[in-house]
Amino acid sequence: MSWYHKLDRHIPTRSLRWQLGMSYATLALVVTALLTGLALRIGSNISLAAEQRQALVAVSGAATAFREALANPTADLSQVARQQSFASNGRVLWLNDDGTVRLDAFAEAALGGTKLDLPQELAQPTEPIARAYAASSGWVIYAVAPVSTPFQPASLVVLAQDISHIQHDLAQLRATLWLLGGLLACGFAALGFLYARSVTRPLGQLTAAVQQMQAGNLAQKVVPEGSEELRQLATTFNTMATNVASLDEERRAFVANAAHELRTPLAALQALAYEMQENIAPQTSELAAFVRQTERLGRTVDNLLTLARLDNPDIKPRMIPIRVRNLLAEVFWVMRPVAAKRSIELIFPDELENEPWVLGDPDWLHLALVNILGNSVRYCPPHGGARVGVICTSNTVAIKVADSGPGVPREALSELGQRFYRVSSAREHSSGGSGLGLAIVREIVELHSGQLAFASPPGAGLIVTVTLATVPEPEDEL
Amino acid sequence: MILKTFSDDQSNPSELSTHILLVDDEYDLLRALSATLTRAGWQVTTASDGQQALHVFRRISPNLIILDLMLPVLDGWEVCREVRKTSDVPIIMLTARDDSVDKILGLELGADDYVTKPFDSRELIARIRAILRRANRTYTGTTLRLADFEINLESQTVSRDGKQTVLTPTEFDLLVHLARHPGRVFSREDLLEQVWGYDFPGDLRTVDVHVRRLRLKVEQDPAHPTLIRTRFGVGYVLVP
């Protein structure tokens, strides 16, 4: 295991807070390093330049003093050297132009007679020069100036100054700057942690909410906070959670309703079966009831399966051009015998000048129209009727089914087509409807991007209108 | 209008006096079930919607009502609420829904029992018998004293400081049963068997709902019961 992984186990280095804090701290340290470097460089340049200027003045003074002393035979040269040395706070040497030390201010003949190996640029000066060097003992300044007199051979004065105090000052400055930088870095790291909190807190809440949803608690809500993007995320999440919860509620209601629809006939069947079992001679009416309830159960299951198929988002209707008249003719062929059994008359639409065509799935459209007419047949009193009309506009066709049934109260019209909705439970139960027929119609019409409308004028029955877009008649009719 | 009184000459004459009102909007179920119940020895009157049910109830004063929840005009809850205003006749609710909320609501409104559709007619008969047995239960002895309560076993009433508290028969039976064995912990199964008289598995929620309703009537602070206490994971106990 690498050190990184070990670290990661104890400190969550991959967490946003940690990473942000560390980034801030690193940034602060890099800035500190750059600034410190710059400050030291500028500081040392300024100090050295000042020292060199002073050294130049001092060495020029020393050279002048030596020149005057050489012109004066009574002058004590070593006295001059000491004086100059004292004045300039450095070590003054008097050299032959070949570099041999003739006089050393510090100690009589300490370097006397030795040959100084002066740096190239200082060896043959024509005017005073000062240079700073980093010696092993610390920083020094060497300043040289030629001493030329008419009667003496050329010689030069060397001033050596210890300027290691500058080094100390700079080191102190560096330490101070790094200390400040370090504190700054800590501050920034803390700032990063705090700032990351404003991001991690909303994220943590979102994560908790998602986990709750995963656990099945779908009604989740988070408070939008933090940055704009996080607020947006929270709002989007809330909308999604609300939708999911309501979908789940719908599903739950659907399942409960479906169970109710299946249990009701089952309860009747079970009671009938028990009664038939106990009764030695089952009556014809009981058998008829048994068959009726079984058929009803079968119809409910069929309808539920149809709805499940229509609910499948992958469903691809087989869209082909259909002549509306042919579609209606097939529906009438199926429904006429059913209607005749209850003495209900179905009236076919009149011939039109231009017979409309629609694009649709013939099976689904057939089922939708059978369901609408089936409703009419179911609710019309005997000897009633249902009339089908076809109304064309330039690009739509409305198929209108008007029956002579009891109609639907105005307040219930908007509920028609809802799953399991029944206008009156009593009426439907004896008729055996499952409350799914018009829901299936609605799904099919939606699948064809059509419109479904219900009307129930006073004194008349229910009018169901299906409006579909028309298509031009195909060239070669299949 | 489906309003018919089925009666059977062969039935036990002592039970013939027991009149059951059967309410369901499903004609086939109504017919089959009333035939079954008639053969079991009861007099059965049927109604197929809520309003009719209330009408018939006022006319015949049945000894028991079997009430479907999903009824046209007035639903089962409305009927239950309406009946409870004037009578404590036992009510068995029929429901085709699974929702425990529905069931609990039915019990809260004062139903004594509920049966989920589809059901076994034999089980329904057993439940009817158990409930009728309880309704006709007579107690020996005169009064039971319990804390500041006086339970009058003859008139089947409970009073505190001379003020009468109205309990349904089931609540009364439950209180008497617990009061006769103070300090004894009863599991919910025990109570179903001993108070409800079930010799078949019943829904334990029935017990919980009735205990809560009883607490609402006899506890000073129903949220923190001191008389009828819950022993978590075990059952209920009366601490006098």
Side-chain angles (χ1 to χ4, degrees):
Chain A
M1 196 188 276
S2 75
W3 65 270
Y4 183 78
H5 288 107
K6 270 183 201 160
L7 183 69
D8 203 43
R9 261 206 335 198
H10 299 295
I11 308 165
T13 50
R14 277 164 215 257
S15 81
L16 193 59
R17 308 178 68 180
W18 185 260
Q19 285 179 348
L20 205 61
M22 284 305 102
S23 305
Y24 275 23
T26 311
L27 199 69
L29 286 177
V30 168
V31 169
T32 305
L34 287 173
L35 284 181
T36 307
L38 201 67
L40 288 178
R41 197 178 174 81
I42 292 172
S44 68
N45 280 351
I46 290 173
S47 316
L48 285 177
E51 291 293 337
Q52 280 173 16
R53 262 197 316 279
Q54 282 175 17
L56 266 185
V57 173
V59 84
S60 304
T64 313
F66 268 99
R67 202 179 305 119
E68 280 167 5
L70 287 172
N72 181 4
T74 61
D76 179 357
L77 280 173
S78 53
Q79 177 79 27
V80 170
R82 268 197 299 278
Q83 272 172 0
Q84 289 302 321
S85 199
F86 184 73
S88 64
N89 194 21
R91 186 175 187 173
V92 174
L93 302 155
W94 183 38
L95 274 66
N96 277 339
D97 69 344
D98 62 352
T100 317
V101 178
R102 290 176 63 178
L103 201 64
D104 184 349
F106 265 27
E108 209 71 48
L111 286 171
T114 56
K115 194 171 145 79
L116 269 189
D117 197 12
L118 278 176
Q120 192 66 41
E121 63 269 23
L122 303 180
Q124 300 291 329
T126 53
E127 55 178 7
I129 302 173
R131 286 275 192 280
Y133 295 95
S136 55
S137 56
W139 286 3
V140 288
I141 283 186
Y142 286 136
V144 294
V147 183
S148 49
T149 52
F151 319 105
Q152 297 276 337
S155 64
L156 48 117
V157 175
V158 174
L159 170 66
Q161 273 181 326
D162 177 13
I163 52 163
S164 57
H165 63 277
I166 294 181
Q167 249 180 313
H168 283 292
D169 291 350
L170 288 176
Q172 223 155 33
L173 180 64
R174 183 193 291 125
T176 312
L177 285 177
W178 272 114
L179 184 69
L180 277 175
L183 288 175
L184 212 66
C186 291
F188 269 77
L191 217 69
F193 260 74
L194 282 180
Y195 178 63
R197 229 174 95 80
S198 77
V199 176
T200 52
R201 228 168 68 100
L203 278 181
Q205 280 179 351
L206 265 171
T207 310
V210 171
Q211 278 166 350
Q212 281 290 311
M213 281 188 86
Q214 230 168 17
N217 305 321
L218 297 179
Q220 293 297 322
K221 203 168 168 60
V222 292
V223 184
E225 59 176 357
S227 66
E228 186 57 39
E229 290 87 343
L230 285 170
R231 279 162 192 275
Q232 218 164 17
L233 181 61
T235 315
T236 314
F237 171 82
N238 284 345
T239 315
M240 185 204 69
T242 312
N243 287 348
V244 170
S246 76
L247 268 179
D248 188 60
E249 191 41 54
E250 260 174 50
R251 184 190 59 82
R252 223 185 279 274
F254 181 83
V255 171
N257 281 328
H260 178 264
E261 286 311 315
L262 295 172
R263 278 187 175 140
T264 303
L266 268 178
L269 282 172
Q270 200 171 359
L272 281 165
Y274 179 77
E275 185 49 29
M276 285 157 78
Q277 188 189 26
E278 294 292 295
N279 212 340
I280 301 111
Q283 294 163 17
T284 342
S285 64
E286 281 173 349
L287 284 172
F290 202 90
V291 171
R292 190 162 53 234
Q293 293 295 335
T294 314
E295 280 173 352
R296 179 173 158 201
L297 197 57
R299 250 197 324 274
T300 303
V301 170
D302 276 351
N303 283 342
L304 283 172
L305 288 176
T306 304
L307 267 182
R309 264 167 66 211
L310 281 166
D311 277 343
N312 183 352
D314 294 334
I315 180 179
K316 298 266 191 305
R318 184 171 54 98
M319 294 293 200
I320 56 166
I322 309 161
R323 193 174 174 205
V324 172
R325 181 159 294 274
N326 293 355
L327 185 68
L328 288 173
E330 276 180 40
V331 172
F332 269 71
W333 188 75
V334 171
M335 291 309 295
R336 272 233 165 90
V338 183
K341 249 189 228 172
R342 301 203 59 215
S343 313
I344 286 165
E345 191 188 3
L346 297 182
I347 302 163
F348 202 69
D350 298 328
E351 202 83 34
L352 290 173
E353 247 180 66
N354 290 317
E355 286 297 338
W357 286 70
V358 294
L359 198 64
D361 186 314
D363 293 342
W364 281 128
L365 286 179
H366 179 83
L367 178 62
L369 292 170
V370 163
N371 276 0
I372 295 172
L373 274 178
N375 254 14
S376 296
V377 169
R378 191 168 294 145
Y379 299 127
C380 277
H383 307 295
R387 175 188 292 279
V388 178
V390 175
I391 302 152
C392 286
T393 67
S394 56
N395 51 6
T396 62
V397 56
I399 302 167
K400 207 171 206 171
V401 180
D403 65 33
S404 64
V408 168
R410 175 188 285 276
E411 65 273 9
L413 280 176
S414 59
E415 304 282 332
L416 282 182
Q418 305 270 17
R419 288 171 188 199
F420 300 112
Y421 178 78
R422 286 204 190 92
V423 177
S424 156
S425 305
R427 196 183 69 175
E428 279 249 11
H429 267 250
S430 49
S431 61
S434 64
L436 290 173
L438 286 180
I440 290 172
V441 173
R442 197 174 72 161
E443 294 291 334
I444 293 173
V445 171
E446 267 172 25
L447 194 67
H448 288 80
S449 314
Q451 271 155 359
L452 178 65
F454 301 104
S456 186
L462 179 67
I463 301 172
V464 184
T465 312
V466 175
T467 311
L468 297 168
T470 49
V471 290
E473 184 178 342
E475 297 288 314
D476 48 333
E477 194 177 326
L478 292 172
Chain B
M1 265 298 248
I2 306 150
L3 177 58
K4 234 158 94 186
T5 300
F6 297 82
S7 61
D8 197 327
D9 291 339
Q10 298 160 350
S11 58
N12 182 348
S14 70
E15 278 196 319
L16 191 64
S17 55
T18 302
H19 205 149
I20 294 175
L21 170 58
L22 175 60
V23 190
D24 199 298
D25 58 340
E26 191 61 46
Y27 177 66
D28 291 332
L29 177 81
L30 213 53
R31 239 176 41 125
L33 201 55
S34 54
T36 303
L37 296 184
T38 305
R39 201 181 9 263
W42 294 301
Q43 194 181 352
V44 180
T45 303
T46 60
S48 60
D49 71 50
Q51 213 158 42
Q52 207 184 27
L54 282 178
H55 183 74
V56 176
F57 163 72
R58 285 182 192 124
R59 201 163 51 80
I60 65 168
S61 309
N63 303 86
L64 182 116
I65 303 177
I66 299 171
L67 186 60
D68 185 32
L69 277 182
M70 302 288 272
L71 287 175
V73 193
L74 274 180
D75 64 29
W77 291 291
E78 292 288 337
V79 174
C80 187
R81 204 175 283 138
E82 207 50 47
V83 166
R84 276 284 170 264
K85 280 182 187 166
T86 58
S87 160
D88 55 14
V89 58
I91 297 177
I92 298 178
M93 283 203 162
L94 291 183
T95 166
R97 298 175 71 100
D98 229 356
D99 258 328
S100 52
V101 179
D102 282 6
K103 296 169 184 169
I104 303 293
L105 182 61
L107 290 173
E108 292 288 353
L109 286 175
D112 295 82
D113 202 354
Y114 63 80
V115 175
T116 309
K117 285 181 180 178
F119 52 85
D120 183 349
S121 299
R122 270 165 298 218
E123 189 190 315
L124 182 66
I125 291 170
R127 281 176 194 255
I128 294 171
R129 289 225 166 97
I131 287 184
L132 287 176
R133 235 185 351 255
R134 255 189 303 137
N136 298 327
R137 181 178 293 175
T138 49
Y139 288 99
T140 51
T142 50
T143 52
L144 273 176
R145 272 182 196 287
L146 169 72
D148 50 351
F149 283 101
E150 194 178 282
I151 304 172
N152 189 323
L153 294 171
E154 277 172 343
S155 62
Q156 305 210 350
T157 52
V158 175
S159 52
R160 171 158 51 189
D161 308 331
K163 252 173 61 183
Q164 202 158 326
T165 307
V166 182
L167 296 184
T168 67
T170 309
E171 287 159 7
F172 185 81
D173 293 343
L174 184 61
L175 181 64
V176 169
H177 192 72
L178 290 171
R180 281 202 163 146
H181 308 93
R184 188 173 140 193
V185 182
F186 290 97
S187 73
R188 296 182 295 176
E189 290 87 343
D190 290 344
L191 290 173
L192 262 190
E193 198 186 310
Q194 293 156 17
V195 177
W196 272 259
Y198 282 5
D199 43 9
F200 49 88
D203 196 314
L204 301 174
R205 295 291 278 274
T206 309
V207 179
D208 296 337
V209 173
H210 277 94
V211 166
R212 195 164 74 245
R213 286 169 56 85
L214 184 56
R215 277 174 178 163
L216 282 176
K217 292 178 179 176
V218 302
E219 294 283 356
Q220 302 276 11
D221 176 10
H224 303 97
T226 52
L227 192 63
I228 303 166
R229 300 219 182 137
T230 306
R231 289 270 181 276
F232 286 102
V234 187
Y236 297 103
V237 57
L238 187 136
V239 182

